[in-house]
Amino acid sequence: MEVLVIFIFILIMMASLGIGFPVGFALPGAAIISLFLAGVAGIIFEGNANAYFAYGGPIEWINAGITNFRGTYWDNDRDTLIAIPLFIFMGLILQRSRIAEDLLMTMGKLFGRAPGGLGISVVLVGGLLAATTGIVGATVIAMGLISLPAMLKNNYDKNLATGIISASGTLGQIIPPSIVLIIVADQISNAADAAQNIRLENYKFLTGESTMPGAYNVTSTSAGELFLGAILPGLILVLLYVGYVFIRAIINPKLAPPVPSKTGFDKRFAIEVTSSLLPPILLIVLVLGSILYGVATVNQAGAVGAVGAIIMAGYKLYNGQKHKYTPTIIATSSSIIILIMHYTIGLNIKNIENDNDWLWILIGTVLVFALLFSITWSFWRVFKIKNVLKEVSTETTLTSTMVFIILIGAALLTAAFRGLGGEDLIRDYLKNLPGGFWTQFFVVMLIIFILGFFIDYIEIIVVVLPIVAPILLADPSANITAIWLGVMVGINMQTSFLTPPFGFALFYLRSVAPKSITTTGIWKGASPFILLQLCGLLIVGLYPSLSNYIPFRSYLTSDLAPPSTNPKLERCLIDYTYTLYKNDEGKIRKAIADAKTYKIDILSSDQRSLMNDHFNKSLLAIDQIKIAENKKNILDDYSKSYLELHNEVKKIRIQANDINKKIIDLQKDLERLKDENKKNILRKQIDKFNLERDKIITTIPKDFEEKNKKYKELSKDYKNSLDIYYKTVDQGYDNFFKIFKEIKDVEKIKLAQEELKIGIELIQKDNKEKSIRSFLEILEIMDKTSGGDEIKDIIYETTENMKENWNKKEILRKAQDIQKLLQKELTLRDRSAKELLVKFETYNKEIMDTIGVRKQERIPRKHALYVSKCIASHEDISLNF
């Protein structure tokens, strides 16, 4: 009966969509009707409204849908949706300001002489427009109106010409900034949370551990990361299209003949190319570059893009009139000067110390007002000329509203589908497919591809992704990243614009194509490009680093990079550490041997003891890392033969557990029922499930326990050896770095001493308020100074006494005691600094990438580059579950 209820639910949804009912209302309508019917059917057939629900009842799942709807707009973590109207606005402004027309004309002249050159130029312009507008309809229509007549006039094959335009226009769905990727990011971030819960539940069940190590967590993603992840896959699609057009033109020149240019590549043409290409490329750099370098979030980048588009439109629409470029010149020069001042002077109103700072702040304020003036001027032009601003704003509102209404409906639909047990059915179906994760993934991609023939990409994303993405992300056998899955879905979505009968790009082109171009001809022309998109999907699927590497590298080499002890980096970082020790062992041992010859007798006895301990532990760590690596190799060798058995048994145990859950649910129903006949039916079902569960458990191979025990022993042995290495190397480096830091902080001691002189003078003048401030300043300096804890305690005690009981004589006495202690500390550190500081700095550089790497504040750049490549590929972690 549960399956029948889900079938009715799907049927209602398909019927409402099929008759043309608005999607935004069809989805929640189908959800509410289905929940109502399931509740009524439960009352009629089972005497319980909750009978046909997986968990809870109709009221609970309606509330869940409302909660999902509210979360779409009120959760702080989901503010990425704000970027949608910003990027739509940016794209429409650029489309209305004839950017596409200028690009196509210029690129046609630039590449026209090459075989298939005009077609190649259309593909490249499609890529550029995708990175600025991201709107398929506007791009296809613009290129259809401008380039299709040009290609037909130059004897291009009709099918090839229409295929090039249709495919190039769809690049905006994968090349950022893409509305598709923003919606995918929103859905997949929620799916990652659900996947984390699934993985955590499985980990607890399979291992018996109450907490799961952070290294095994499912990591979510954001629109910014998806934008970065889609850059290389988008370029691959562009190259595939260009390669296809060029090869076809070489094989059969009649299909795409070269177009001779009437003018050569002179100075005038170079200026024309520059003026057409430079503005959109600068806008791309502003939008994507700000995200890539962490300067702006996706929302902020969208706002920058919208303002940049307005400034470009301001001079594009103002043709042949005085002051055409004035707002653009003011905006550009103001922005450049502000950036230069920011990075050279460090403008910050909180750090004003003198008149020069006030002068720079004043200059910066003037420049900001100049920038605002130029932006306002550009807005006014776009508002006055041809009513462009009003039309674009209206269309942006309509498009954004449509997207948001669909998201609301999808939130309710997803809740209803889960409530009726649909998610459990799909999970059970996918889990039981032969071939494991990759079969599941192929089936999901195939379903999305087929759905693309019939329904729009937004419906596919909001209906399918919340259901299947948690299942795929939770699987530890592939341990895929949310970035890669999002990009793969995005590329797959792109095909929905080209696949008949409802490929929107085909209809957009049909609306502007001449009568000589048939609809069938457009479909035929698009078919090879659908295959090319599938090739691109296959390439990105086989090489996940194409989508993962740029986001990971951007993060790991940024100022926000995590420390080397981050659990997510451990696997790759230790592999790199093994390599460094192998390559540099002689160099490290020599550095330690040289450091032993330093005159450390000038250090205090405690410091000398720490240095000797550092030398001993560092040498032990070099030996211990070899032991750990050897044990890792033994574990890896055993894991290869054990993995298949482990996954087989894990699958059996999960199946048995799923049956056990059904038994528990039936037992709850049994306790609730009063009808004896119905109770007997449930008892028979429970007995049947018990037999099925016991039968499944008996299929566990007899040698599993023995092999599992050996794997655990080897795994524990490796972990213990690694822990010993970590403890040894960390303690050893800490001992050295403590001394190194104390010696380096000698200037801070001098600074504290100078401030203390000022404080004593103020005490002698009986100036209580200023002397307290002076001592607080000394305390702040000492807090940033390594060592000197005794001095810090006395300074703190003295400062408190000054506040509570102003005894000038007693305070002066304590201040002089502090002065003596500071002088003693300075004498010791100053001598050590003169003799050892340069040597310690050289020594630290020799060991910080190996012995000291784990104690760095953030992962070093050299390590970050390796780790970025390493974690960009997927790793099977199923042996840990």
Side-chain angles (χ1 to χ4, degrees), residues 136 140 163-175 233-234 236-241 244 445 449 452-453 487-500 503 505-506 525-541:
V136 171
V140 172
I164 291 170
I165 294 171
S166 301
S168 302
T170 65
L171 287 169
Q173 295 305 300
I174 189 62
I175 294 179
I236 286 170
L237 285 177
V238 171
L239 292 175
L240 286 172
Y241 293 171
Y244 171 74
M445 287 290 110
F449 177 72
F453 282 74
V487 171
M488 290 292 287
V489 170
I491 298 173
N492 205 343
M493 288 290 97
Q494 190 181 342
T495 61
S496 68
F497 279 86
L498 293 179
T499 48
L506 309 179
S527 298
F529 290 92
I530 295 172
L531 295 176
L532 290 173
Q533 287 179 344
L534 294 177
C535 287
L537 189 67
L538 180 63
I539 292 169
V540 178

Side-chain angles (χ1 to χ4, degrees), residues 225-271:
E225 288 177 333
L226 278 188
F227 279 8
L228 299 181
I231 291 173
L232 290 180
L235 291 176
I236 286 170
L237 285 177
V238 171
L239 292 175
L240 286 172
Y241 293 171
V242 168
Y244 171 74
V245 174
F246 183 73
I247 290 169
R248 287 207 67 180
I250 293 291
I251 295 172
N252 188 353
K254 292 182 180 180
L255 291 177
V259 180
S261 177
K262 295 178 182 179
T263 59
F265 294 97
D266 54 10
K267 183 179 179 181
R268 183 178 177 182
F269 181 66
I271 294 172

